[in-house]
Amino acid sequence: MEKEELKKLAGEEALKHIEEGMIVGLGTGSTIEYTLRKLGQMVREGFKIKGIPTSIHTKRIAKEENIPLTNLDENPIIDVTIDGADEVDSNLSLIKGGGGALVREKIIAFNSKRVIIVVDDSKIVKALGIDFPLPVEVVKFGWTSTKKTLEEFGCEVELREIIHGEPYITDNGNYILDCDFLRIENPEQLEIDINLIPGVVDNGLFINLVNEVIVGSKQGVLTLNKEKTVV
Ligand code: 5RP
């Protein structure tokens, strides 16, 4: 099966966990887009939910699909959030932010009763940081100093660019510094330490936020949770 088919498999499977009347956190990325497109179809057939998007990109897709939207101020408790990830380890800790939406994604996940992650099996790793650099959102002011401080953690740091020389700007008006650690030994501590640097808004480590990971694999859909793996 092609990668896109595995993403679709996982993205659509997550919809089985959404019930009528729920407030649903809508993640960002190409895997969750499969969830959004199918959810749009369900909504058009009369299924009633309200979504809270994690990015301007997702808000645009939700509007195209006529998915009713709300926000955290109106609905501070989210029933379930479905989102993608860049890496998932055996503790269901994640690296997120490949799509640049990590700050809003973490706020939405933190305020959700349940968080479900959808990925294809290439995202499952032995240790975080192996395949994907850790995105860190920083304010523009003093960003080169923030970059130097991040380098003291032993990683190679690059300013994310959309095209050569043109920095990527997040939905919050900030920069992203991609930090290549090769391997992150202690993600729990690193999440805390990075967020203590002045100028850092948040980083893409998601620790103890996830309830289940739905994995699209050649063997079918696997569901990982902390207690057991269900095939
Ligand atoms: C956006 C994210 C995405 O969820 C993550 O990058 C996965 O995206 P995709 O499903 O396209 O691989 O964290 O900030």
Side-chain angles (χ1 to χ4, degrees):
M1 263 196 274
E2 297 295 320
K3 194 172 183 161
E4 285 308 310
E5 288 176 77
L6 303 183
K7 283 157 61 168
K8 187 167 191 275
L9 207 61
E12 293 187 349
E13 176 76 14
L15 288 163
K16 293 183 182 159
H17 300 272
I18 299 184
E19 289 165 23
E20 183 102 4
M22 279 184 163
I23 302 295
V24 183
L26 306 174
T28 298
S30 57
T31 313
I32 182 75
E33 185 163 346
Y34 289 108
T35 315
L36 295 171
R37 298 291 177 199
K38 182 85 187 287
L39 182 59
Q41 196 182 316
M42 288 162 63
V43 164
R44 286 190 295 280
E45 287 165 3
F47 187 65
K48 288 188 176 46
I49 58 105
K50 280 186 187 166
I52 303 188
T54 53
S55 63
I56 293 171
H57 181 70
T58 290
K59 189 174 185 177
R60 187 177 51 70
I61 297 173
K63 285 195 160 171
E64 273 172 28
E65 294 293 333
N66 291 318
I67 298 170
L69 296 178
T70 180
N71 57 55
L72 265 182
D73 304 316
E74 281 172 9
N75 288 284
I77 298 168
I78 299 169
D79 293 300
V80 60
T81 284
I82 302 172
D83 203 347
D86 301 299
E87 285 188 341
V88 179
D89 76 6
S90 55
N91 295 316
L92 309 193
S93 295
L94 314 175
I95 285 185
K96 282 186 54 54
L102 64 107
V103 169
R104 295 187 189 195
E105 288 173 333
K106 204 185 273 189
I107 294 170
I108 297 279
F110 185 81
N111 289 290
S112 299
K113 289 192 222 163
R114 192 167 170 210
V115 175
I116 298 173
I117 296 298
V118 289
V119 291
D120 67 85
D121 56 4
S122 69
K123 305 284 185 70
I124 307 296
V125 293
K126 286 204 172 68
L128 295 177
I130 285 184
D131 288 335
F132 206 84
L134 175 65
V136 179
E137 182 160 334
V138 302
V139 296
K140 290 178 186 169
F141 182 86
W143 74 271
T144 50
S145 302
T146 310
K147 178 174 182 278
K148 281 197 194 97
T149 311
L150 280 164
E151 282 162 349
E152 287 166 17
F153 284 79
C155 54
E156 262 185 37
V157 184
E158 268 189 36
L159 177 66
R160 189 178 296 184
E161 296 175 349
I162 13 172
I163 44 166
H164 191 61
E166 186 80 33
Y168 173 86
I169 308 289
T170 69
D171 289 351
N172 313 306
N174 299 313
Y175 288 158
I176 288 197
L177 297 175
D178 288 305
C179 302
D180 192 354
F181 283 90
L182 300 176
R183 183 187 179 101
I184 296 173
E185 298 298 344
N186 187 343
E188 293 80 6
Q189 193 56 47
L190 188 66
E191 186 199 17
I192 295 166
D193 291 345
I194 288 180
N195 283 0
L196 289 174
I197 303 170
V200 167
V201 181
D202 208 335
N203 67 77
L205 285 166
F206 281 49
I207 313 291
N208 289 327
L209 284 174
V210 174
N211 299 93
E212 279 131 313
V213 178
I214 296 177
V215 187
S217 78
K218 289 192 179 68
Q219 291 73 45
V221 175
L222 308 174
T223 302
L224 312 178
N225 56 42
K226 284 190 180 163
E227 294 80 45
K228 57 185 189 302
T229 299
V230 186
V231 184

